[in-house]
Amino acid sequence: MKKIFMLMIVMSLLVVMGCAKITITKTAKGVYSPTNPDNVQVLVLAPKADFIELATVTTWRWDTCQTAKMHNSLRAKSAPLGADAVVLGDSGIDMDGYFWSSGVAIKYKK
């Protein structure tokens, strides 16, 4: 009984606190070598250079003061696909006051 009570408390805290999430859906054909997450750019405008779209990215449930943490998470999740940048196209604040954003992971054509 005590274990069930503790589990309910932990689950309640997770619901109240929320957990930031990122989903990446690969859209490109082929496989690219992973990039260093530190080198992945986070952009709000599409670059003028030619690129290939690798994946769609969506992230949500971030506190509005966690923008840098969100960008670093996007870099870390996109780098294994070989992304050179993540272009954020749409973003906002949901009804619960959390930040969300969506866009695409890209690789520059060389």
Side-chain angles (χ1 to χ4, degrees):
M1 185 69 162
K2 189 174 182 180
K3 288 182 182 179
I4 293 173
F5 179 71
M6 290 301 291
L7 180 62
M8 290 176 62
I9 289 174
V10 169
M11 289 176 63
S12 297
L13 286 173
L14 288 175
V15 169
V16 171
M17 291 172 28
C19 294
K21 300 191 186 297
I22 296 177
T23 59
I24 304 245
T25 305
K26 189 174 182 310
T27 56
K29 292 181 181 181
V31 178
Y32 299 93
S33 297
T35 54
N36 181 338
D38 293 337
N39 296 334
V40 176
Q41 300 173 303
V42 177
L43 308 170
V44 293
L45 297 174
K48 292 182 181 181
D50 290 337
F51 61 86
I52 301 164
E53 179 183 310
L54 299 177
T56 60
V57 299
T58 306
T59 185
W60 65 100
R61 299 223 29 109
W62 292 93
D63 285 331
T64 54
C65 64
Q66 293 182 313
T67 305
K69 188 173 181 179
M70 179 191 74
H71 287 180
N72 288 336
S73 293
L74 287 169
R75 288 180 178 100
K77 293 278 188 169
S78 299
L81 296 176
D84 293 315
V86 175
V87 182
L88 300 177
D90 204 9
S91 62
I93 298 176
D94 67 18
M95 292 178 11
D96 296 323
Y98 290 105
F99 184 73
W100 63 271
S101 190
S102 63
V104 294
I106 64 169
K107 177 146 199 80
Y108 294 119
K109 290 183 179 178
K110 298 188 180 178

